[in-house]
Amino acid sequence: MAEQSTAQSAPLVVNSGRLAVGQMVVVGVAAALFLRGTDGGPWLLFAFFVGLNAVLLAGVATLLTLTYLLGTITRHGSLLTESPGRRCGWTLLVWVGGAALVGYGRAALGHLGFDPDRHPEVGHWLLGLGAALVVGLFTRSRQARIASAATIALFVVVTVALRVLD
């Protein structure tokens, strides 16, 4: 009887690959679209009245909360999103790792002659891609983990090689 209740309470993950890709896409697109809407319009007016630091703090809190909620919705996509405590750590890992990849990517693009500041859309989509790749590193799907790690490694190796050849 005890075995039956344990089996019923364990989550059934039918297709970890689909959940992993879904989690990656949802977080990546949400990041890119969220940031796309924050670089102009009413945010600038709001920053004029309450101050830039307040707007930045509100934006960071909103983005972390949104990511946590997305992790809740797709909680079976990763072992790190299964519980609320782990989900907090997952949220921070996603944004620290994603921001590190974006910082490296912006530096690499700048070194290669592309000015990311002239094309802010590139920065938004880079952050979405960086966050999605970090999400992929922590998914249940081995294929998604391998593909994410290989993509990050390829990106780093190619940019380092291009810098060395210059």
Side-chain angles (χ1 to χ4, degrees):
M1 184 80 139
E3 290 178 29
Q4 184 180 10
S5 66
T6 304
Q8 288 176 349
S9 66
L12 179 62
V13 179
V14 177
N15 189 341
S16 63
R18 184 179 290 170
L19 284 172
V21 170
Q23 201 173 41
M24 291 170 68
V25 168
V26 166
V27 170
V29 169
L33 292 178
F34 177 82
L35 289 175
R36 186 175 187 277
T38 60
D39 64 352
W43 290 105
L44 293 177
L45 184 62
F46 187 60
F48 179 74
F49 288 108
V50 299
L52 183 60
N53 291 337
V55 171
L56 290 175
L57 184 61
V60 167
T62 302
L63 191 58
L64 290 174
T65 302
L66 177 65
T67 305
Y68 181 87
L69 292 174
L70 292 172
T72 302
I73 293 168
T74 60
R75 69 182 170 272
H76 297 301
S78 170
L79 290 174
L80 294 178
T81 54
E82 288 282 319
S83 70
R86 285 183 173 184
R87 204 171 305 129
C88 286
W90 174 82
T91 299
L92 292 175
L93 283 171
V94 165
W95 289 112
V96 168
L101 281 174
V102 169
Y104 182 80
R106 286 180 60 91
L109 286 173
H111 182 74
L112 297 173
F114 181 81
D115 184 15
D117 292 330
R118 291 187 66 207
H119 307 282
E121 282 293 312
V122 173
H124 301 155
W125 292 108
L126 274 177
L127 185 57
L129 179 63
L133 289 173
V134 173
V135 167
L137 291 176
F138 300 113
T139 63
R140 287 184 188 270
S141 168
R142 184 181 340 183
Q143 293 88 358
R145 286 193 311 266
I146 291 170
S148 293
T151 303
I152 291 169
L154 181 67
F155 172 65
V156 170
V157 167
V158 167
T159 55
V160 166
L162 289 172
R163 283 184 176 184
V164 169
L165 293 176
D166 257 354

